[in-house]
Amino acid sequence: MMAAGQNENHAVRASPQPTLPKGNALKKISVKGVIIGSITDIVATNILALPLIIYIAATSHLSALPKDQISNAIMQTLHNDPILFSTQ
């Protein structure tokens, strides 16, 4: 049974294929913008990860470990806990 306003001969139209820019359109990418974006991404990632690392260090009792093992212990804790790993 057809709904009101529908036609049995209704043809489905395929969307056109995406086309790539021609000529010099790809040369308009700003190297300065890519560099600034990359630096911003790295800095923001480190700033936003800091509270997570502080939380892990405070709750994992890492003060008994030697300094050279603390980084590995934080990564191990992060990978062993699915909730902490998903917030990464």
Side-chain angles (χ1 to χ4, degrees), residues 5 8-9 11-12 16 21 23 26-27 29 35 39-40 48 55 57 62 68 77-79 81 85 88:
E8 288 182 27
N9 296 331
V12 177
L26 294 178
K27 292 184 181 180
I29 295 175
I35 291 171
I39 293 170
T40 302
L48 294 175
Y55 171 78
L62 299 176
D68 60 339
T77 303
L78 188 62
H79 287 283
D81 188 342
F85 188 74
Q88 180 178 337

Side-chain angles (χ1 to χ4, degrees), residues 48-70:
L48 294 175
L50 192 60
L52 180 64
I53 301 301
I54 291 171
Y55 171 78
I56 292 172
T59 58
S60 297
H61 308 292
L62 299 176
S63 60
L65 291 176
K67 289 184 179 183
D68 60 339
Q69 294 179 1
I70 291 177

Side-chain angles (χ1 to χ4, degrees), residues 9-53:
N9 296 331
H10 177 66
V12 177
R13 292 184 186 171
S15 60
Q17 292 291 330
T19 58
L20 294 174
K22 293 183 171 98
N24 294 333
L26 294 178
K27 292 184 181 180
K28 293 183 181 181
I29 295 175
S30 169
V31 174
K32 180 180 173 183
V34 171
I35 291 171
I36 291 172
S38 300
I39 293 170
T40 302
D41 178 48
I42 293 168
V43 171
T45 299
N46 288 322
I47 289 172
L48 294 175
L50 192 60
L52 180 64
I53 301 301

